[in-house]
Amino acid sequence: MIQLTNVTYSYPRAETPALHDLSLQIPAGQFCAVIGANGAGKSTLCATLAGFVPHFYRGKLSGTAKVAGIDIAGSSLAELAGTVGLVFSNPFNQITGARFTVREEVAFGLENMGVPPAEMAPRIDEMLRFARLSEQADQSPYALSGGQQQRLAIASVLVMRPKVLVLDEPTSQLDPIGSREVFSVLRDLAATDEATVFLAEQKLEWVAAFADRVLVLHQGRLVADGPPAEILASPTLSQYGLEPTRYTQAARAALGAGFRPQHPDLPVTLEQAVEFFR
Amino acid sequence: MNLDVEEVSFTYPGGVEALRDVSLTIAAGEAVAIIGENGAGKTTLVKHLNGLLKPTHGRVTIGDWDTREHSVARMAARVGFVFQNPDDQIVEQTVGDEVAFGPRRLGRAAPDALADATAALEQVELAAESKTHPYDLTTPQRKLVTLASVLAMHTPVVIFDEPTMGQDARGVALIGRIIETLKAEQRTVIIITHDIDFCATHFERVVAMANGRVLADGPAGRVLARADLLATTNVEPPQLIRLAQALGLAAAPLSVDEFIRAWTRRNEPDRRA
C-alpha cells in the first residue's frame, strides 16, 4: 500500500537530506509506527506519504514514493487527498478556519469529496461520538480545548475513510486514556477496515502496545525495522535518542540484579512485563 | 512564599464554569504536579496563580499579595509561567533578547539581564542559538526558549504548562534535570502534565482535577496508585505502579529502583522456601 524505493529528500536550501535513501513497503491493514529523536525525519516522512513533500514544501525528492499505486511526486495533492489522510501534531494547523461549527468542520472533507448529504449525516454523527464531541457539535472549533481540537482534527480526517492514514504525533495533547482510545481506534481501523495506518510517535508505551511494526529513523536514515517487541527492547535504542518503556527498564534492572526469568525476552508492554516478573 | 487558593470558582465569559470551589495551599519549595483530563480546569487554575485570571468567587494569594490587587506584570516578579504553546509567549527577534526580556522587564540592568539570559540558555542547552531568530528553531526548541525566559527571571515560583509536550527522550531528561535543580534551590515548582511517568519521577505531590474540581491531592505514591479514581479523569497510573498492581505488590513504586526493591521483597520468602 505504501512503497518507497531509494527515497531521498532535501528541504529547499538544506545542506543535508532530511530523508536519506529510504526503501520500505507497508502492506494494507498494517499499523506501522515510526519513532526517533526530534529531527530524525519522522514528520518529513509523514509529510512525504501525504504528498506535502514535495508538493507543498518543494525541495528535492529523488527515488520513487507510491501510495496505493499512485506515484506521489507525479500526482497533485487534490488527487492524493481521496487516498491519503494526514493528521498533524498541532490541531491548529488542521482546523480549516472556514467552518463555524464542529459538525461543519467534520463535514468539510465529505463535502469536498461530493458525498451525498443523506449519507453524510450518519457518518458525521458516528465520528462525533467516536471523538467524544457530540455535545460540542454546534460550538466553534476554536472554543474547544487543545485535546478536543486534536480529537476533532483526527475525526475530520477519519470521516473520509482514507485507505492510508498518516498521523504525526496525533496524541501529543491528549490525556492518557484519550490517547489509548485513539490508538485502539487506529488499530481497529487497520485490522478490520484494511486501512494502512502510519504514525509518528514519541510515547513508546503506545507504540509497544498497539503497533504491528516499528521503524526507527536516525538522522534521516532507516536504522531499524521490525516488530515492537524486538525493536523496543533492543540495546541500540538509546543510541538513537530513545528511552525504552519503564517495563523494559525494570526488566533490565532485575536481570542486572541476578534475576533469571522463565521467559528470557525483555518485555516492552505491561502484559509482557507481568509474564517476565511472574 | 505560600500560594493560597481559597474556595475559588471561575466562570469564563460565555458561561463555561471552569473552576468550582477549589481550595489548595502550596508551601514554599514544594513540587506539585497537576493532572487530569482535557478540559478539567488545570490551565485555568494555574492562570490564577500568576494573576492572568482573577477568581469569580474566592481568593488567590501569592505570599502577601492578593492577585486581584496586583497587575500581571508585577506578579511576574514572583511567579514565572511557561505556556503550553511557546508561540503564545515569544515576542523578540533573537533568542538571546527573548530570554533577556523577562529580567529586563523586572528592572534589571542590561548587563545583568544578559548574564541571566546567558546562564538560562546554557541550562536549556541552547547557548549556541542566542543570535538565532526564535522562529528559525523547531517548536520543541522554542518551548525550551520560553522555559529559559522564565528561569532567567529567578522567580520564587515557577509554573510549567505541559513542559514535556513534543520533546524527545533527551528533551524530557533535560527538563527533568532543570526541575531537579529548581527543587534543590528550594523554589516552588508547579507543572501541568499528561506525562504521568514524568510526574511520578519528579513530583512529590500530585493534584488530580476533574470538572473544575480537585479530585485528589496528596503524595504522588498515594494519588497515582488510585487507578479507579484516576480513570474518572481519563488518567492511568504510571507504568511501574500498573506493573506492581498487576503483580499484586502492595507498593506504589515511583522509580525503577523502588519497583525492584518492592518486587525483591516479595520474592524473598519464595527463595527461602
Side-chain angles (χ1 to χ4, degrees):
Chain A
M1 187 54 69
I2 293 173
Q3 197 171 15
L4 303 184
T5 313
N6 304 117
V7 167
T8 295
Y9 171 75
S10 301
Y11 283 101
R13 294 178 301 280
E15 284 163 23
T16 50
L19 298 177
H20 201 101
D21 197 23
L22 293 192
S23 293
L24 61 104
Q25 291 196 16
I26 301 170
Q30 195 167 65
F31 185 167
C32 181
V34 57
I35 61 175
N38 285 340
K42 302 187 300 294
S43 294
T44 306
L45 181 53
C46 288
T48 305
L49 297 178
F52 283 74
V53 163
H55 297 295
F56 178 77
Y57 291 108
R58 306 293 166 184
K60 188 167 171 288
L61 181 72
S62 63
T64 323
K66 286 183 178 175
V67 278
I70 306 170
D71 183 63
I72 290 170
S75 318
S76 67
L77 275 175
E79 287 168 308
L80 286 165
T83 306
V84 193
L86 175 64
V87 176
F88 296 92
S89 55
N90 184 344
F92 295 108
N93 295 337
Q94 189 98 40
I95 289 166
T96 59
R99 289 293 182 270
F100 293 111
T101 70
V102 166
R103 173 181 292 281
E104 290 169 357
E105 183 69 34
V106 177
F108 187 79
L110 295 180
E111 289 169 7
N112 284 351
M113 288 165 68
V115 174
E119 193 187 316
M120 270 170 54
R123 275 169 76 170
I124 293 167
D125 287 339
E126 182 197 348
M127 264 304 132
L128 289 173
R129 268 197 305 278
F130 150 68
R132 287 189 282 127
L133 289 171
S134 302
E135 279 179 36
Q136 287 79 21
D138 299 317
Q139 287 181 17
S140 161
Y142 295 102
L144 303 180
S145 74
Q148 289 171 329
Q149 287 189 346
Q150 199 155 42
R151 295 206 300 270
L152 173 60
I154 294 168
S156 306
V157 173
L158 272 187
V159 75
M160 294 186 274
R161 296 177 186 159
K163 285 190 195 126
V164 176
L165 184 61
V166 180
L167 308 101
D168 187 359
E169 296 188 33
T171 65
S172 61
Q173 306 199 20
L174 293 188
D175 50 47
I177 291 181
S179 303
R180 183 182 287 283
E181 286 169 359
V182 166
F183 272 86
S184 74
V185 165
L186 295 175
R187 183 180 56 188
D188 292 350
L189 199 72
T192 54
D193 293 354
E194 289 282 294
T196 302
V197 178
F198 186 90
L199 120 165
E201 182 56 53
Q202 296 280 6
K203 296 186 194 104
L204 300 195
E205 190 190 4
W206 303 120
V207 172
F210 290 99
D212 300 317
R213 176 175 171 189
V214 182
L215 311 176
V216 182
L217 281 182
H218 181 62
Q219 298 175 350
R221 293 169 198 267
L222 183 62
V223 292
D225 177 358
E230 177 190 313
I231 301 296
L232 299 178
S234 158
T236 57
L237 205 61
S238 60
Q239 289 172 21
Y240 306 126
L242 295 162
E243 192 193 35
T245 65
R246 298 290 200 279
Y247 308 126
T248 311
Q249 292 178 36
R252 282 219 176 92
L255 291 176
F259 176 55
R260 294 290 164 262
Q262 290 177 332
H263 306 275
D265 293 343
L266 281 171
V268 300
T269 65
L270 175 62
E271 290 72 21
Q272 292 164 9
V274 170
E275 282 302 309
F276 182 92
F277 283 103
R278 200 183 286 285
Chain B
M1 63 188 66
N2 287 2
L3 278 67
D4 265 303
V5 177
E6 296 166 56
E7 296 171 3
V8 165
S9 297
F10 180 78
T11 305
Y12 279 103
V16 177
E17 202 183 350
L19 294 179
R20 302 165 200 239
D21 195 24
V22 171
S23 292
L24 198 66
T25 298
I26 297 174
E30 271 199 283
V32 182
I34 302 172
I35 61 172
E37 64 189 327
N38 292 123
K42 305 182 298 295
T43 299
T44 305
L45 173 62
V46 295
K47 283 183 174 171
H48 277 79
L49 300 178
N50 71 342
L52 266 178
L53 296 174
K54 317 285 185 191
T56 312
H57 298 288
R59 197 164 80 119
V60 177
T61 51
I62 311 301
D64 55 352
W65 290 358
D66 184 322
T67 59
R68 274 174 307 202
E69 289 159 15
H70 295 272
S71 66
V72 176
R74 187 119 190 270
M75 296 289 308
R78 293 191 169 179
V79 182
F81 191 100
V82 182
F83 286 79
Q84 181 173 353
N85 180 356
D87 302 343
D88 289 345
Q89 194 153 1
I90 283 174
V91 291
E92 291 285 348
Q93 304 295 311
T94 70
V95 166
D97 287 348
E98 178 64 36
V99 178
F101 179 82
R104 294 199 64 172
R105 282 284 298 272
L106 292 181
R108 277 175 216 151
D112 294 343
L114 191 67
D116 287 334
T118 306
L121 280 173
E122 277 167 12
Q123 219 178 334
V124 300
E125 299 179 358
L126 285 176
E129 306 289 349
S130 72
K131 301 286 182 235
T132 307
H133 194 287
Y135 285 95
D136 288 335
L137 298 176
T138 64
T139 307
Q141 286 176 320
R142 274 206 298 287
K143 182 102 177 185
L144 291 173
V145 170
T146 58
L147 217 141
S149 305
V150 165
L151 295 176
M153 292 167 78
H154 300 293
T155 50
V157 180
V158 273
I159 300 175
F160 303 125
D161 193 347
E162 293 283 3
T164 61
M165 197 176 89
Q167 301 290 342
D168 58 15
R170 185 173 156 270
V172 172
L174 172 64
I175 292 168
R177 288 197 298 277
I178 290 168
I179 286 171
E180 291 304 323
T181 305
L182 294 169
K183 283 160 63 177
E185 293 169 358
Q186 298 292 311
R187 293 208 260 168
T188 308
V189 188
I190 300 165
I191 69 159
I192 290 177
T193 190
H194 287 314
D195 188 339
I196 303 301
D197 295 296
F198 184 80
C199 166
T201 306
H202 297 290
F203 289 83
E204 285 73 34
R205 177 177 168 192
V206 175
V207 175
M209 293 187 70
N211 293 320
R213 294 182 205 276
V214 172
L215 201 60
D217 177 0
R222 201 174 304 159
V223 175
L224 295 179
R226 297 175 67 183
D228 292 347
L229 178 114
L230 295 179
T232 65
T233 191
N234 259 349
V235 173
E236 297 178 336
Q239 293 173 30
L240 294 170
I241 292 183
R242 267 184 283 153
L243 176 57
Q245 290 177 344
L247 291 169
L249 304 181
L254 297 172
S255 67
V256 169
D257 286 350
E258 285 180 27
F259 171 80
I260 294 293
R261 275 200 296 278
W263 177 75
T264 311
R265 267 200 307 277
R266 193 203 48 178
N267 281 343
E268 270 161 7
D270 297 351
R271 281 187 199 155
R272 270 185 247 119

